[in-house]
Structure formats: structure tokens, C-alpha cells
Amino acid sequence: MPDTQHPGGRPAFGERLAAAVERRGPLCVGIDPHPALLASWGLTDDAEGLRRFSAAVVEAVADVAAAVKPQVALYERHGSAGIAALEELLADARGAGVLTIADAKRGDIGSTMAAYAQAWLGETSPLAADAVTLSPYLGFESLRPALDLAAQTGRGVFVLALTSNPEGASVQHVGGEASVARRIVEAAGAENRRYSGADAGHGSVGLVVGATVGDAVARLGLDLAAMGGPVLAPGLGAQGATAEMMRETFGAAYPRVLGTSSRDILAAGPDRAKVRARAERTLAGLAS
């Protein structure tokens, strides 16, 4: 079993996320500064607009949400100034005591994957988040540099397993009872079993499973409840998923699901009190 001592005495990500959900509930707020959303907030579509938007969202939801999930691409499109705004967001969230999940969907091989791991999970990186999303479609084991570094630093990963976009089925559903998605779920479970805390269901290797995948979880025989880590479920709200639908979709695994909403909550802005109220309403639905 790997060393479980993390820098600064930091508990493993899975344990920290479980504690945050226990305190606040199972809500993750996506921070997605789309141009139209910035405009609706009266903000400019530039680095300064990103900074103001990001700071306002963190201030509004930091003590309501278990985590926030910035969409990295929407910062990258502004180049170095956008990345600087993302670094500020991550620092603000740390200061506010809310966990961060960098939605970067990184996936590569060898030294390139190791560099991505250092960027998003490395102890000295200004982009280091509490967790990062990863794409396993060069093979799950290609993620090894990120899996190992996350374990060393007490951070986490969320591996794409079953996404709700129509194109995803052409890869993820292939194989029937031995589908690609099922193999990813099983690989994540095996990874969690390598580390302390997994027996209690607090593993730090999580999965991304769309909140709108319907009966695909059951149809593909995915045992998410036995995987031992959290499930990040984007699609709540504007994309059509409801808490009731998610309970049916995830079944026995629902207690480990982190419901993720972005546009539905952010559309309540720019008034911070209204954003917070929308987040609280979303959370109430998840927790009821």
C-alpha cells in the first residue's frame, strides 16, 4: 500500500470530499464563463471579466457547495491572462475552504501525461486543484502518472466513464457486458482498493458519469456502488437532469454522487444572493 502521508498532513481527497459533503451536501457548482453568460452578467469577455465572474461565484457558493468545478477551456481561450484568472479562482476557492475540481479532461501518454499531472496535481503548481478530470481513452493505465501523483499529494481524479453526449456511446458502450465503460469503472475500483480509506467508500479515484445517461448504467452492468470512489454527475438543471432522475439512474450508488450544476445556478446572477439561493434550492433537491 502506498504511503498515505501527504504534504502538509493533507488527508486524501476522497476523505476531504466525504467530509465536505457531510457538512454541506452533495452539490458541485460548475464555473463556466461562457461569453453569453458573461454578457448577461454585464461583464466583458476578457480576463478581467473572468476574474470578476469567478470571484463572485466563489463568494456566492463557497459555503453551500462541497466543490466548485471551473471549466478550464473557457479560461484557456484567453491565453496566459485567462490562465492567470484561473489561478486566482483556485487560490480564492482554497481561501474560502471549498474544494476545487479542474475540469481539464486531460489524457496522454508518458512524459506528456506526467507534465499534465504536475500542472494540475503537483504540489508547487499554481494550477493545482484538489482534483482534476481525466480522459482514459488512450488506455486507463496511460493515466498512471496522474493516478500516482494524486495519491502522493492527497489529491483526486475523476475519470470519464459514461458521458451523456450522443457520440460517447460509440466508444463507451462498445463491448456489451464487457463494455469500455465497465472496464473503466472496474479499473477505478481496483485503483481505489490500493489505498487506505477505500473500504469505507472514500477512495480518491472518482468517475464522471453524466446525470442524463438514463438506463445506461444498469444496461451496461456498471457497479458504481462498489467502485469505492465518488461519482461526478454533470448535467443537473439546464441539461435536463433532476434529482429524482438521478436517484433512478444511480440507484444504490446515489449516496456517492456529486450532483453538478452550472448554467442553471449561474443564470441567477449577477446578484450573488440570487446565485446562492439558486444553489441552495438545487442542493435541497439533491439532499431530500
Side-chain angles (χ1 to χ4, degrees):
M1 180 179 294
D3 183 5
T4 56
Q5 295 300 311
H6 306 119
R10 180 188 301 124
F13 171 73
E15 297 172 11
R16 290 187 286 130
L17 178 59
V21 169
E22 178 68 23
R23 289 195 308 271
R24 299 171 181 171
L27 175 65
C28 174
V29 175
I31 304 181
D32 297 3
H34 292 283
L37 186 56
L38 291 171
S40 74
W41 278 46
L43 298 173
T44 51
D45 185 15
D46 55 19
E48 180 59 26
L50 294 185
R51 288 190 182 92
R52 293 174 61 188
F53 177 83
S54 303
V57 176
V58 170
E59 180 182 336
V61 307
D63 60 351
V64 177
V68 294
K69 180 178 70 65
Q71 172 47 255
V72 169
L74 294 172
Y75 292 84
E76 288 179 332
R77 68 191 183 90
H78 289 286
S80 60
I83 294 297
L86 177 58
E87 292 175 0
E88 291 179 21
L89 181 161
L90 294 169
D92 286 347
R94 281 194 298 272
V98 62
L99 295 174
T100 55
I101 302 169
D103 197 356
K105 298 183 179 69
R106 295 301 193 250
D108 216 302
I109 60 173
S111 59
T112 307
M113 190 66 232
Y116 281 140
Q118 286 291 340
W120 299 104
L121 301 166
E123 195 62 21
T124 61
S125 171
L127 285 171
D130 291 293
V132 64
T133 58
L134 300 176
S135 175
Y137 297 109
L138 289 172
F140 188 91
E141 195 59 26
S142 68
L143 305 178
R144 178 55 50 197
L147 296 169
D148 288 348
L149 186 58
Q152 292 165 17
T153 61
R155 293 186 165 89
V157 302
F158 286 92
V159 182
L160 299 177
L162 192 64
T163 58
S164 54
N165 61 305
E167 304 85 356
S170 67
V171 174
Q172 297 156 13
H173 293 206
V174 171
E177 292 184 357
S179 68
V180 172
R182 183 169 180 171
R183 293 183 183 188
I184 292 168
V185 172
E186 291 173 350
E191 196 67 19
N192 279 322
R193 287 190 290 275
R194 299 178 61 209
Y195 299 99
S196 62
D199 289 342
H202 297 161
S204 296
V205 177
L207 297 171
V208 179
V209 178
T212 57
V213 297
D215 68 350
V217 172
R219 186 159 35 84
L220 296 173
L222 307 187
D223 192 350
L224 299 176
M227 182 266 301
V231 176
L232 184 67
L236 179 63
Q239 294 182 43
T242 65
E244 183 178 356
M245 288 170 54
M246 288 171 60
R247 289 185 184 89
E248 183 175 350
T249 294
F250 293 104
Y254 185 76
R256 69 175 67 256
V257 172
L258 189 62
T260 304
S261 179
S262 174
R263 282 176 289 171
D264 189 58
I265 291 174
L266 302 180
D271 187 297
R272 289 169 176 76
K274 291 181 179 179
V275 172
R276 178 189 173 93
R278 186 74 60 85
E280 288 176 332
R281 188 182 73 187
T282 304
L283 177 59
L286 289 171
S288 63

